[in-house]
């Protein structure tokens, strides 16, 4: 299980280097996104006002404090407590995020079900597992909230964070058809059968 | 009629609720810290160790920076043990808990999670119709009030399960249902945490008991030896599943298993599972009839 350091946005080539179970620390930019953000993009057909090519998406509804507005009337915010939400609810957006917008990584907690494995393999994407609930630490790794779009969806806006030493993340699903979640679940079911026989 | 004592005690309970909510979110109990450190010491899988070490580091960072341990401020759940002679009526205790929850949310500020269950519109600063949720217990021949605040995160609350086993399923049916529930939940409830199980009573009461079970200090055992034995057994078996920290595989799937029970109908055998994530936050206050407050992180 190798250890990597990656700066986002990144390339397909860099993503294909990663293997399920590897440890990754991230620098650069992270885009915060959640249920309602993706419903707006894909179900309501509204183009996202941010470039998602090569992007790292984080499943989050951050706790923030409003500082004011800039010259164009957009809100400026500072972080209060930023953590990660359960990913499984949002798995159906994986394929279009990769295909239409060139997203390279999706990060959340709890993992994606098996339906994410094939699109991630084909399109060159990975799922990163963050430590769910470890928001105090995660907040210190976010340097700044650089941009916020769709403020009316607060807190499920489209956020652009600049991060440093973001992690450690674990590659949960790689771009080669491997999923730690699939393997752990299969093994747990096998063990469960044995346990139930002994009861 | 509202008396002076009433007004004072109302303020005391409100202050206590506001304090407990924020304190629980920032400073997790020592027994939980110990359980997490033990887990990190015995975990052998590499992703599992990575997760547990990150959790320990996170708790430290929250301590150092005075930040919340987890971003999910949850749904505020209080457990009240009200003495027969405590001078403030439970109606007023409830109002005070609600006011305290609101004040903490606005003043800190905390993320507000409460919405109308159909329209999904926000209903207030972590309050709303029937929110916060309060569990009551009434204690004869006592003049005090114990309040415990358990902010309950949604990631783990979503992993709640109920099965009306039949008596013929017996204890084996109970064990099977708990094991299948936790394997099915995988990494979603932020494992390793406390598996709360409620058995007996009725359908609704079994789930209520499961919630009581997760609020106990970690690793405490039920006073009934039959139930305590089942807690021990399930604790071992759950860790044999290999789900591991955050569902990434490993030795530590749960920090413990707590069970609360009630006697039931001869043809009922209800089993409820309520999961509490690793951020098993709780904080208590003991309030005297004279308004003295003793805060207690370990109760
Ligand atoms: S399940 Fe618990 S630890 Fe995980 S995000 Fe929710 S409240 Fe935090």
């Amino acid at each position: 299980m190798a250890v990597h350091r990656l700066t986002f946005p990144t390339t397909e080539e860099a993503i294909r280097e990663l293997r399920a179970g590897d440890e990754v620390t991230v620098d650069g930019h992270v885009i915060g996104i959640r249920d309602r953000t993706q419903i707006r993009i894909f179900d309501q057909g509204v183009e996202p006002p941010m470039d998602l090519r090569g992007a790292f998406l984080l499943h989050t509804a951050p706790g923030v404090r409003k500082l004011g507005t800039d010259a164009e009337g957009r809100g400026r915010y500072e972080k209060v407590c930023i953590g990660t939400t359960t990913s499984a609810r949002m798995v159906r957006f994986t394929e279009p995020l990769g295909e239409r917008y060139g997203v390279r990584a999706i990060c959340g907690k709890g993992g994606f079900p098996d339906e994410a494995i094939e699109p991630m393999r084909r399109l060159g994407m990975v799922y990163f597992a963050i430590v769910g609930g470890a928001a105090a630490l995660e907040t210190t790794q976010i340097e700044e909230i650089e941009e916020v779009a769709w403020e009316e969806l607060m807190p499920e806006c489209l956020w652009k964070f600049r991060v440093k030493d973001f992690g450690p993340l674990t590659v949960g699903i790689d771009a080669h058809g491997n999923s730690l979640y699939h393997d752990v679940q299969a093994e747990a079911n096998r063990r469960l059968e044995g346990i139930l026989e002994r009861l | 009629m509202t008396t002076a004592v009433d007004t004072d005690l109302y303020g005391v309970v409100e202050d206590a609720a506001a304090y407990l909510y924020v304190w629980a979110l920032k400073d997790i109990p020592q027994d939980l810290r110990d359980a997490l450190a033990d887990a990190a010491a015995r975990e052998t899988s590499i992703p599992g160790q990575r997760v547990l070490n990150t959790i320990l580091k996170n708790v430290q960072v929250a301590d150092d920076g005075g930040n919340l341990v987890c971003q999910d401020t949850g749904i505020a759940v209080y457990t009240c043990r009200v003495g027969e002679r405590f001078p403030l009526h439970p109606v007023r205790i409830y109002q005070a808990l609600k006011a305290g929850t609101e004040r903490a949310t606005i003043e800190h500020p905390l993320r507000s999670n409460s919405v109308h269950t159909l329209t999904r519109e926000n209903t207030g600063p972590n309050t709303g119709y029937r929110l916060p949720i309060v569990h009551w217990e009434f204690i004869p021949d006592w003049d005090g009030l114990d309040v415990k605040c358990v902010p309950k995160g949604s990631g783990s609350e979503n992993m709640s399960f109920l099965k009306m086993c039949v008596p013929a399923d017996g204890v084996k049916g109970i064990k099977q249902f708990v094991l299948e529930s936790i394997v099915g939940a995988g990494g979603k409830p932020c494992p390793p945490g406390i598996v709360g199980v409620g058995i007996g009573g009725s359908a609704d009461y079994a789930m209520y008991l499961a919630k009581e079970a997760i609020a106990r200090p970690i690793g405490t055992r039920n006073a009934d030896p039959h139930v305590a034995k089942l807690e021990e057994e399930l604790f071992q078996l759950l860790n044999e599943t290999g789900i591991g920290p955050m569902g990434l595989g490993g030795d530590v799937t749960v920090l413990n298993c707590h069970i609360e029970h009630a006697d039931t109908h001869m043809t009922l055998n209800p089993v409820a599972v309520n999961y509490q994530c690793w951020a098993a936050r709780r904080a208590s206050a003991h309030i005297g009839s004279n308004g003295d407050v003793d805060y207690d992180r370990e109760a």
Side-chain angles (χ1 to χ4, degrees), chain B residues 93-168:
Chain B
I93 296 175
Y94 185 79
Q95 290 167 344
L97 294 177
K98 191 166 188 163
T101 308
E102 287 183 349
R103 211 176 76 204
T105 304
I106 293 165
E107 280 175 6
H108 187 272
L110 300 172
R111 189 179 88 181
S112 179
N113 307 310
S114 53
V115 297
H116 183 284
T117 198
L118 289 180
T119 68
R120 314 308 289 179
E121 296 295 331
N122 184 272
T123 53
N126 281 316
T127 53
Y129 177 59
R130 293 181 168 159
L131 284 183
I133 293 166
V134 182
H135 290 204
W136 300 98
E137 200 186 329
F138 298 99
I139 314 296
D141 202 25
W142 185 46
D143 65 354
L145 166 69
D146 288 344
V147 181
K148 184 189 291 193
C149 176
V150 180
K152 189 63 172 66
S154 65
S156 56
E157 189 67 13
N158 271 329
M159 296 297 112
S160 303
F161 309 93
L162 174 73
K163 184 174 182 186
M164 301 307 280
C165 286
V166 296

Side-chain angles (χ1 to χ4, degrees), chain A residues 23 132-134 136-137 170 185, chain B residues 50 58 69 71 183 188 240 278:
Chain A
E23 176 179 325
L137 182 65
T170 299
Q185 201 64 41
Chain B
R50 194 181 295 147
N58 179 72
V69 168
Q71 80 289 345
V183 167
K188 290 194 279 290
E240 285 177 28
W278 70 261

Side-chain angles (χ1 to χ4, degrees), chain A residues 88-120:
Chain A
R89 307 188 298 268
M90 296 172 263
V91 65
R92 70 182 170 101
F93 304 116
T94 308
E95 188 165 1
L97 281 170
E99 210 148 52
R100 268 198 250 162
Y101 297 106
V103 166
R104 288 287 162 218
I106 299 175
C107 177
K109 78 174 182 80
F112 264 162
D114 289 356
E115 60 185 283
I117 299 175
E118 178 49 29
M120 289 195 146

Side-chain angles (χ1 to χ4, degrees), chain B residues 235-256:
Chain B
F235 176 35
Q236 305 302 335
L237 292 174
L238 285 164
N239 277 333
E240 285 177 28
T241 61
I243 291 289
M246 288 295 144
L248 297 173
D251 310 303
V252 186
T253 298
V254 303
L255 295 176
N256 222 304

Side-chain angles (χ1 to χ4, degrees), chain B residues 40-118:
Chain B
R42 84 186 140 91
E43 179 58 62
T44 59
S45 95
I46 292 172
Q49 284 174 350
R50 194 181 295 147
V51 166
L52 289 162
N53 288 329
T54 305
I55 287 175
L56 292 176
K57 191 167 165 197
N58 179 72
V59 171
Q60 189 61 49
V61 168
D63 283 346
D64 295 346
N67 204 345
L68 308 184
V69 168
C70 170
Q71 80 289 345
D72 189 353
T73 49
I75 197 163
V77 179
Y78 295 91
T79 302
C80 285
R81 295 175 72 250
V82 192
E84 180 184 5
R85 294 194 316 285
F86 187 70
L88 192 66
H89 191 276
V91 166
R92 299 275 291 149
I93 296 175
Y94 185 79
Q95 290 167 344
L97 294 177
K98 191 166 188 163
T101 308
E102 287 183 349
R103 211 176 76 204
T105 304
I106 293 165
E107 280 175 6
H108 187 272
L110 300 172
R111 189 179 88 181
S112 179
N113 307 310
S114 53
V115 297
H116 183 284
T117 198
L118 289 180

